[in-house]
């Protein structure tokens, strides 16, 4: 895989190395050696973890995903997938790293009127946001520790409440976790969140948007290639067979075709 661009940035005594590599039309972003994003316009499905972030959108009926919020842009792979398959009216990407935004625009071609890329801390941005809610929120907030990717924001009660605050009543939230064990610590899946006795001690306002049983469905998406898993919390009642039918509308997502690169497992959690 050829190196086509690199940049070294030193800030507060810490040096970060960025690289963009390609193989044919496929582009990959590495930050300090950590693989952040991959996308090819000729093969929008790569059989990788980024596909898992796209799949929750197909629990919605075609044409009903109009506003998407992506927290953690990286190189912008999932933003390009959303544009390719669903053409939402608005895709807002919030990214703390200005170099990642530069790479997303220049090398991954995250350009067009539907894209709004914001360089900001996702927590601060969400706390200050006063615009219309979103049909789908994708939380892919990862940093790097010891050369390995790790979640940047804990999926605790406060974070889950903030996500829910900016979601349409019929919306979905997809959260990327390092491992299934970390996913189980998410507030919406923690035992106390589903404990009626614990819930009864909370205020009615809190009950409206925090309990796990508020969601119509909860799924786990995973791939054997990575330890990551995606938790999908959705207010869509779409059964699995309709989800699969929605995928089959696109040849790249039709698993009956030998050319389909999807490689995932879907498990109902609640």
């Amino acid at each position: 895989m050829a190196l086509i661009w690199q940049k070294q940035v030193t800030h507060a005594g810490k040096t970060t190395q960025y690289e963009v590599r390609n193989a044919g039309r496929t582009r990959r972003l590495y930050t300090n050696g950590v693989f952040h994003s991959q996308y090819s316009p000729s093969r929008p499905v790569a059989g990788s973890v980024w596909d898992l972030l796209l799949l929750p959108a197909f629990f919605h009926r075609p044409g009903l995903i109009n506003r998407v919020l992506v927290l953690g842009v990286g190189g912008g792979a999932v933003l390009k997938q959303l544009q390719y398959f669903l053409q939402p009216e608005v895709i807002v990407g919030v990214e703390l790293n200005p170099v990642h935004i530069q790479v997303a625009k220049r090398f991954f071609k995250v350009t067009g009127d539907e894209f709004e890329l914001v360089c900001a801390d996702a927590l601060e941005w969400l706390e200050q946001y006063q615009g219309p809610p979103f049909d789908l929120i994708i939380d892919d907030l990862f940093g790097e520790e010891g050369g390995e990717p790790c979640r940047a924001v804990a999926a605790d009660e406060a974070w889950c409440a903030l996500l829910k605050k900016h979601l349409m009543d019929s919306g979905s939230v997809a959260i990327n976790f390092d491992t299934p064990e970390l996913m189980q610590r998410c507030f919406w899946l923690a035992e106390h969140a589903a404990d009626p006795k614990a819930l009864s001690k909370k205020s009615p306002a809190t009950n409206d948007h925090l309990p796990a049983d508020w969601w119509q469905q909860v799924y786990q998406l995973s791939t054997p290639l990575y330890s990551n898993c995606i938790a999908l919390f959705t207010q869509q009642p779409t059964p699995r067979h309709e989800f699969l039918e929605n995928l089959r509308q696109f040849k790249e997502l039709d698993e009956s075709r030998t050319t389909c690169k999807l490689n995932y497992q879907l498990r109902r959690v609640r």
Side-chain angles (χ1 to χ4, degrees), residues 9-28:
V9 177
T10 301
H11 177 71
K14 180 181 179 180
T15 299
T16 304
Q17 179 75 26
Y18 301 94
E19 295 181 346
V20 175
R21 296 178 175 270
N22 75 343
R25 299 184 69 190
T26 298
R27 297 287 170 88
R28 283 187 170 190

Side-chain angles (χ1 to χ4, degrees), residues 131-160:
F134 297 91
D135 300 298
L136 173 63
I137 297 177
I138 298 173
D139 171 359
D140 191 26
L141 292 172
F142 272 71
E144 173 262 326
E145 187 174 304
E148 295 294 332
C150 60
R151 270 200 63 81
V153 178
D156 57 15
E157 180 176 4
W159 180 245
C160 288

Side-chain angles (χ1 to χ4, degrees), residues 49 52 142 149 176-180 221-223 226-230:
V49 68
L52 305 184
F142 272 71
N176 189 359
F177 291 94
D178 308 41
T179 64
L221 293 110
S222 59
T223 172
Y226 293 86
S227 63
N228 296 64
C229 64
I230 308 301

Side-chain angles (χ1 to χ4, degrees), residues 162-179:
L162 194 55
L163 294 176
K164 177 63 179 62
K165 178 181 177 181
H166 298 296
L167 188 71
M168 292 285 289
D169 288 343
S170 59
S172 302
V173 175
I175 305 179
N176 189 359
F177 291 94
D178 308 41
T179 64

